[in-house]
Amino acid sequence: MPITRDYRALAVAAAKGIYTWDSRSSSYSDIYARVRSWWELLPDGSNPLSALVTEFEGTGVTAGTFVELAGQSARRVGTAQSLRCDLELAKVQEYPAPWEGLHVCTVTVEVVDETSNGRSVYAAPVTVMLNCPPALTAPSYRCAMVAFYATAERIVY
């Protein structure tokens, strides 16, 4: 994950990273730990790790299904196709971010899933929430991902 104040670049990197893994070289725990390392908890507890688990599983991978996928040498690659942030999103215009420095971006990712049984390609939207300076809860020198949404009912348009 890049260390940057460019929330757009961070949103793209996060969305691609959430949808990129390889069961031939990583376990479910490895992949979850990588994504977990990007999710920075807020002091008010509004972005609990239970939400991270739910949203990561919204990408179609759970600890249980990963065992089966690993048996098929599964791998997934996400490539960002489009990015819309803040005022480009109707829901954010309707319900603005609660503090200055919080950004909401929705990235459409082209996902390529490959297994020993075949290949499929599809588009997946991911909404990424980023906490950036001048927010008091943000690191002073960079933006931080504080949430992402992969489940359909949580995607921001």
Side-chain angles (χ1 to χ4, degrees):
M1 192 69 103
I3 296 173
T4 181
R5 289 178 75 140
D6 181 346
Y7 64 90
R8 291 174 175 268
L10 191 57
V12 167
K16 287 170 34 179
I18 290 161
Y19 275 98
T20 299
W21 50 261
D22 190 331
S23 71
R24 299 169 301 175
S25 58
S26 300
S27 68
Y28 177 83
S29 295
D30 295 336
I31 295 161
Y32 175 81
R34 176 176 49 93
V35 174
R36 163 59 188 102
S37 73
W38 303 336
W39 183 288
E40 293 202 13
L41 294 171
L42 290 167
D44 68 0
S46 61
N47 65 337
L49 291 179
S50 58
L52 166 63
V53 172
T54 300
E55 294 306 320
F56 188 60
E57 290 179 352
T59 68
V61 179
T62 66
T65 60
F66 193 82
V67 172
E68 183 179 327
L69 292 168
Q72 299 173 24
S73 298
R75 56 209 169 277
R76 175 181 281 176
V77 176
T79 305
Q81 298 297 308
S82 69
L83 169 70
R84 295 184 351 181
C85 297
D86 298 339
L87 297 177
E88 300 165 20
L89 300 167
K91 287 184 183 178
V92 176
Q93 288 176 343
E94 228 174 274
Y95 304 101
W99 65 82
E100 187 180 2
L102 180 67
H103 297 280
V104 179
C105 296
T106 298
V107 183
T108 300
V109 180
E110 179 186 79
V111 181
V112 178
D113 276 334
E114 293 184 84
T115 68
S116 54
N117 296 331
R119 179 179 194 260
S120 65
V121 180
Y122 56 93
V126 183
T127 296
V128 182
M129 297 183 75
L130 305 135
N131 197 25
C132 301
L136 296 177
T137 54
S140 62
Y141 60 94
R142 66 179 173 90
C143 294
M145 181 178 78
V146 293
F148 72 86
Y149 300 112
T151 54
E153 65 273 8
R154 300 296 304 269
I155 302 297
V156 174
Y157 294 102

